[in-house]
Amino acid sequence: ITFQTIIITNIKTHTIMKNQMRTRTLKNKTARGGKMLKMDDNVYALRRKVMDELYNIKRRGYNIPRIEVRIVSENTDACAYAYLGKNIIHFNKKYINVKRFTQVVLHEIVHATFGIGEVVGCRLMHCTEFWKNDCSESEAWELFDKYYQESKA
């Protein structure tokens, strides 16, 4: 073992540990005025609904990583949000039963998994226009597939 090998190993170890710490600090951190809800039967049922959508994505043949799902209080100023590329999503309790729930989940998965932010003009990923866009479920799946394929390239 040379001195140079030790330095390179220490740099790699430090980088890995730093990235793990960053993810660990995000895991239970909320944003947008939200407060993480404590797990009980009601919160578990809400979380289960999101998880069912994630399993549906996997059943359709998409190989997505494990996504951490958190349910936050109604006073959050967004229906859902994700940390870009960190595989963590937060859903506002109030928006779990909305008409376009599948579209919301797909939207957040694109943020969390593929690390893509707002895409102006995209009916699925134009965040500020999401509710006005009225993106159908079939169109949402087509757009999700596009982002999935781009992430694999």
Side-chain angles (χ1 to χ4, degrees), residues 5-148:
T5 306
I6 293 171
I7 290 175
I8 290 171
T9 304
N10 285 341
I11 290 171
K12 286 180 181 177
T13 304
H14 176 71
T15 303
I16 291 168
M17 289 174 60
K18 189 175 179 182
N19 287 338
Q20 288 173 343
M21 287 172 44
R22 187 177 307 130
T23 302
R24 194 176 303 134
T25 58
L26 285 176
K27 189 178 266 190
N28 293 317
K29 184 178 178 184
T30 61
R32 302 181 178 268
K35 181 180 178 212
M36 191 124 29
L37 299 179
K38 294 202 184 290
M39 190 60 72
D40 62 17
D41 290 344
N42 294 328
V43 173
Y44 179 81
L46 297 172
R47 186 174 178 275
R48 183 81 238 161
K49 187 165 182 190
V50 177
M51 297 301 293
D52 287 343
E53 289 293 333
L54 295 177
Y55 291 134
N56 185 29
I57 292 169
K58 290 185 178 199
R59 275 192 298 275
R60 286 175 172 249
Y62 295 102
N63 186 18
I64 59 171
R66 181 178 185 274
I67 307 289
E68 305 229 5
V69 176
R70 304 287 184 255
I71 306 299
V72 295
S73 59
E74 296 102 340
N75 60 343
T76 305
D77 71 354
C79 65
Y81 59 92
Y83 294 110
L84 295 181
K86 297 295 184 190
N87 301 332
I88 302 171
I89 54 179
H90 292 87
F91 279 84
N92 185 328
K93 176 182 174 180
K94 181 170 62 174
Y95 288 91
I96 296 284
N97 294 311
V98 294
K99 178 179 153 192
R100 287 181 271 170
F101 183 68
T102 299
Q103 291 90 315
V104 174
V105 174
L106 292 175
H107 173 96
E108 295 307 329
I109 296 303
V110 170
H111 285 317
T113 305
F114 311 138
I116 296 172
E118 181 172 26
V119 179
V120 175
C122 176
R123 290 170 54 85
L124 180 64
M125 295 307 298
H126 192 167
C127 306
T128 55
E129 299 291 321
F130 184 81
W131 295 106
K132 295 176 189 173
N133 285 337
D134 200 23
C135 182
S136 70
E137 190 169 328
S138 61
E139 182 183 11
W141 279 109
E142 288 173 19
L143 291 166
F144 178 82
D145 186 64
K146 179 186 130 205
Y147 289 112
Y148 180 80

